[in-house]
Amino acid sequence: MENTALTDRFGRRHDYLRISLTERCNLRCVYCMPAEGIVLRPRDQFMRTEEVLAIARTFTDMGVKKIRLTGGEPLVRKDAAHIIRDLGRLPVELAITTNGVLVDEFVGVFQEAGLRAVNVSLDSLRADRMRSISRRDPFARTTANIRLLQEEGFHVKVNMVVMRGINDDEVTDFMEWSRHEPVHVRFIEYMPFNGNRWEWGKGVSEAEILARATERFGASGYERLTDRPNDTARNYRLTGGAGTFAIISSVTNPFCGTCNRIRLTADGKLKNCLFGRTETDLLAELRSGRDIRPLISASVLKKQAVRGGMDSFEKLSDPALHGANRSMVAIGG
Ligand code: SAM
Ligand code: SF4
């Protein structure tokens, strides 16, 4: 019998869970982390190792087929290796999103756990720019670790948040990189969250990114690829490219119609949408000894059709609405 416990009012089946392992991070990216940092809370407000695993098991019982670990920076968590190994035993495809700095310490763990897909954030091909964007100095380790992952045969995607006047002049250099190496670059439109001082003037749209590709490579210099059913990115390849590039256009062209994602924050709250402001406290329910499945199904049923109810650009741009969400570092992107 088909498992419908994770199907919402619009017929979307949610079989992809993103788990944030921590709100902490070894970088301070300007688009993600508020300038003043985030308030660090006592450890007991966050999921312990066994709680992460118990909640993950419940979701796989309910039909989740893919789990991605994220954060904050998931690899700064002390028990990250333990969690990755144990999740590797569940019947799911396991993936991770990381800033790449600590990846060399985890390659063996990824291999043991059968984790093959690693998304690494890299916003510039220049060390000095990475310093100003991340307020730290990750460039040498992150780029060395991207090479290491490629050599070890991982499927590597590179996430770049495109920001006007900061790194947008490098968009076509990233595309060129995907011609020569089997790297899958994803350009992400700059999204609004609590504390990131968002204004769309700082963002670059999907249409503009494609216009730049056409300007540099010509309209026949790249081709549109077929996306997979729940892709959040529109995929392209430069002619003769070893890799691909893609655009995640959550601001100008959202892909909510095929969304299959739900999110678990590091403090054990279920968010049925990245942009949604409502949260369901699974950790409290688990700690009180009750079955968390009814809360999970109820949360999925409350999911809005588009961007947590911000169904127009005007609503998304309204600080009263997006400011009521968490900062990205505390959601788990
Ligand atoms: N620390 C890890 C990393 O940087 O990959 C995982 C967490 S991070 C929050 C996940 C992804 O969200 C990263 O690719 C990051 O670039 C992206 N991100 C964060 N804030 C964003 C924003 N305001 N708009 C678009 N993407 C954002
Ligand atoms: Fe940390 Fe990732 Fe946010 Fe950068 S994008 S501050 S690396 S969580």
Side-chain angles (χ1 to χ4, degrees), residues 43-253:
R43 194 177 284 263
D44 66 358
Q45 293 187 13
F46 295 94
M47 295 183 289
R48 291 189 287 262
T49 321
E50 329 72 76
E51 291 168 336
V52 174
L53 298 171
I55 296 177
R57 257 194 307 274
T58 303
F59 274 101
T60 54
D61 289 346
M62 292 177 80
V64 159
K65 300 274 182 291
K66 176 170 177 179
I67 292 180
R68 175 176 297 280
L69 299 176
T70 178
E73 173 48 40
L75 299 180
V76 302
R77 199 174 147 136
K78 295 258 177 318
D79 57 357
H82 180 163
I83 291 175
I84 293 168
R85 281 197 194 95
D86 279 11
L87 290 179
R89 295 194 188 99
L90 294 179
V92 282
E93 177 190 341
L94 195 56
I96 192 163
T97 300
T98 167
N99 60 36
V101 173
L102 298 171
V103 156
D104 48 301
E105 298 169 20
F106 283 87
V107 165
V109 175
F110 293 167
Q111 285 163 335
E112 264 177 66
L115 186 160
R116 306 298 313 152
V118 185
N119 291 3
V120 183
S121 299
L122 182 74
D123 298 308
S124 173
L125 299 171
R126 293 171 39 175
D128 58 330
R129 281 193 176 169
M130 276 307 288
R131 264 197 298 278
S132 56
I133 294 169
S134 69
R135 304 174 177 125
R136 296 287 185 274
D137 192 9
F139 186 79
R141 276 192 82 175
T142 298
T143 49
N145 282 336
I146 290 173
R147 277 192 296 279
L148 174 64
L149 288 167
Q150 287 172 327
E151 283 159 18
E152 295 292 330
F154 287 88
H155 187 79
V156 184
K157 290 183 185 166
V158 170
N159 289 343
M160 179 214 201
V161 180
V162 188
M163 287 164 293
R164 192 173 301 283
I166 294 182
N167 61 358
D168 59 323
D169 57 341
E170 295 186 61
V171 160
T172 52
D173 296 340
F174 272 81
M175 291 175 184
E176 193 59 62
W177 182 22
S178 78
R179 192 198 301 279
H180 304 295
E181 290 185 37
V183 67
H184 303 281
V185 177
R186 295 160 5 127
F187 302 108
I188 309 180
E189 288 182 349
Y190 177 41
M191 298 183 277
F193 296 98
N194 190 323
N196 76 353
R197 300 188 187 162
W198 183 86
E199 44 183 281
W200 184 230
K202 294 184 197 162
V204 180
S205 69
E206 173 181 40
E208 190 173 339
I209 292 169
L210 287 175
R212 291 187 190 194
T214 304
E215 194 185 326
R216 174 138 166 207
F217 305 109
S220 56
Y222 63 97
E223 59 173 325
R224 179 82 167 89
L225 302 174
T226 310
D227 306 324
R228 285 182 309 177
N230 300 106
D231 260 348
T232 54
R234 295 182 185 84
N235 295 278
Y236 298 83
R237 187 193 303 278
L238 286 189
T239 306
T244 61
F245 70 91
I247 307 171
I248 301 180
S249 54
S250 308
V251 176
T252 65
N253 192 2

